[in-house]
Amino acid sequence: MNKPKDHLSPLSSCCRLERVKLLEYEAKQLLADAGVLVPVSSLVQTSEALSLPLPVVLKSQVPIGGRGKLGGVQIIEQVAELADAVEALLVLDIKGYLPTVLLAEEKLLIQHEHYLALRIDRIEGVVQLMAHPKGGVEIETHTSGFFTRTFEPDQVEAIASQLALSWGYEETLPATLLQYLLTDLYDCFVANDATLLEINPLIYTTEGTFIAGDCKMELDDNAAFRHDWQFEAKSTETNFVTLDLAGTIATIANGAGLAMATVDAVADSGLVPANFLDIGGGSDIKSLLLAFERLMGFTHLQGIIINIVAGISRCDEIARAIIAAQAHIPTLPPLYIRLAGTNYEEAMELLTDAGIATLPTLEDCIIEAQEAHHL
Amino acid sequence: MNLELFQAQNVIIQGITGMHGSFQARAMVEAGTHIVAGTSPSKAGSLVDEIPVYNTVADIQADFSVDASVIFVPAPMAMDAILEAVDAHIPLIICITEGIPLHDMIEVRRILATSESILIGPNSPGILVPDELKLGIIPAHLSLAGSVAIVSRSGTLTYETMAGLSERGIGQRYVIGIGGDPIHGTSFIDCLELFEHDPHVSSIVLIGEVGGTEELLAADYIAGSITKPVYGYVAGHHAPAGVQLGHAGAILGSQNESAAAKTGALKKAGVKTATSITSLLSLIAADHSF
């Protein structure tokens, strides 16, 4: 399976933006569907005969960059090399990922390698084009030469000719080809609700065509309702993050900002937070119980801080889940509970009847947890 | 943003018959907000409590002039709801809905750019002017009227900050959540400008988060244009470094998007910063005890 060993969510890139990261072959299928040229290819899962003529480039399909430097891309010149290469690549771990499939592609005749990407500029709320004349794995080290524009579809002709010039093409044909390419890429970006579409390298072949050498694409999970997505790589979980398996204090909060703030406050006090958990708004008792059970996987826990400030969620729902957890999980460590906001009174009544104490603030929860810790 | 926006008389709720819409409409009425009507497709003619339901915003405008709309419409239909309000020239639009597709928000921003309407959100808890106006879902009973202005990207962390100040006897003039989604309407800078110019505001609290660059722009603006004291906290100091696909993020400097980098930028701009919400509250309380 395509699972990372060390499961950390991309919390720092954005808490609420859930993205579907496509594998190269999935992204290239979307490119091809939009009319963008991609290498002739076939998928390989066993070392049986290839349908492509040699030489081919054999590429591990993992949802992470940097595979080339780790041996995840092999050029196969001879039939005799194929079986061993396939076998080796299928078991080659790339930063915690194993491929379920390899992509075999024709070896292109390269004249130039460029960098081209469409992304979303969050501040301006627009699609942005980013390009560099020299693509490849060292792209991040370039400090100058980037071509960045807000991508306006009705100005694609002007953008393409500026881009062609910035890449050193003085003839009209490459500019025209880039215009078609940019139009197709933008259509692909919008039609698929993409948040990132990066072609690196974009290869200009000796025959004078632009072909997508590699492609990384992320789709907006919030738009899944209007697509029939059947991709291998699923969106990463962002509401539960393991911070430290040896952590002593687990945290539960509602809302990503409050959940991060709860973790920060625990860590600032000198206690070791085990996890980040955002139960969101409107969680039901069943999903909350599952969250409690999951926390039992941390074997060093000395307490759980529950910090709920309810706006759209309701404190009484949380209270019911806490009562159920107390009843169902005999090994539950001490709970330091702070509830505030919507339906607070109902929640307090339920908890008081069940003999469960609460604390007025997050600070009080941390102080009590610290005192228990030092006993 | 001008101050008159926050004196909205007639407020409507788009999506008033849903679970959240009806529950929160009641809470807004209890907090003193004058809700004249709501919309819900095909439920025209019914009532939510005493509030009449119409099919469309335009239908409401035949009977009322509308100063503000609060949107609870589910994400797949939220873009249309926002654009309906923009089309109706509603001065202040607050979108509570979270998880609107980014490409829908690009379209919204494109149309907003040529409109007079102000959009707060999406994925915003809304605005609270304690004892005066509640537009959204911020729990009013945790607030206390006063002169501190809070602006935040988060929902519940905004309430936490507000409640913490209230417990310490420090009242608030504004509590505004600009929204947690990557693309939103009103920015930190828009709110900072409002706070600077409103004589009722004595000091400002800015609550940011890891990810994005909005806090960095806010820091620049504070350094150049804000004379009132600003307190800041950026949540996510202990968030693990994310795994990014592609190079675009790194090329654009995603290392500046960490809580530590943003806190550093705010500090450099003269903001009094803290590394946790509890220490931020203590910091503000220390300055307000005389």
Side-chain angles (χ1 to χ4, degrees), chain A residues 6 67 87 110 181 205 324 349:
Chain A
D6 182 15
R67 66 184 170 183
E87 216 166 284
I110 299 168
L181 174 68
T205 64
E349 222 168 276

Side-chain angles (χ1 to χ4, degrees), chain B residues 99-223:
Chain B
I100 300 176
L102 283 180
H103 284 273
D104 288 3
M105 281 310 300
I106 289 175
E107 178 66 4
V108 166
R109 285 281 298 267
R110 192 180 66 78
I111 291 169
L112 267 182
T114 58
S115 148
E116 298 283 299
S117 295
I118 299 285
L119 172 68
I120 304 224
N123 191 10
S124 159
I127 292 171
L128 182 70
V129 183
D131 293 351
E132 289 185 22
L133 184 68
K134 167 172 157 141
L135 299 174
I137 61 174
I138 298 175
H141 66 277
L142 300 177
S143 70
L144 174 72
S147 66
V148 174
I150 302 173
V151 62
S152 166
R153 270 171 65 188
S154 159
T156 49
L157 182 53
T158 314
Y159 317 155
E160 173 79 303
T161 311
M162 173 180 83
L165 290 177
S166 300
E167 279 155 16
R168 288 162 176 80
I170 302 163
Q172 309 95 41
R173 175 62 189 168
Y174 295 103
V175 184
I176 303 180
I178 59 172
D181 282 0
I183 301 178
H184 47 251
T186 296
S187 66
F188 273 137
I189 292 176
D190 297 327
C191 294
L192 290 167
E193 190 182 14
L194 169 81
F195 300 161
E196 176 71 13
H197 292 121
D198 186 340
H200 293 108
V201 172
S202 63
S203 60
I204 299 167
V205 179
L206 185 148
I207 308 289
E209 283 179 17
V210 288
T213 55
E214 202 169 338
E215 292 83 356
L216 302 174
L217 299 178
D220 282 348
Y221 183 80
I222 290 166

Side-chain angles (χ1 to χ4, degrees), chain A residues 312-335:
Chain A
I312 205 127
S313 48
R314 300 170 196 187
C315 288
D316 55 325
E317 286 286 302
I318 311 285
R320 286 192 186 90
I322 293 170
I323 292 164
Q326 286 275 31
H328 288 96
I329 307 174
T331 54
L332 207 63
L335 304 180

Side-chain angles (χ1 to χ4, degrees), chain A residues 108-128:
Chain A
L108 298 169
L109 298 169
I110 299 168
Q111 195 176 147
H112 299 296
E113 290 186 293
H114 307 296
Y115 174 88
L116 189 63
L118 291 175
R119 62 180 288 274
I120 290 176
D121 179 331
R122 301 166 53 145
I123 299 285
E124 299 300 327
V126 295
V127 177
Q128 192 183 49

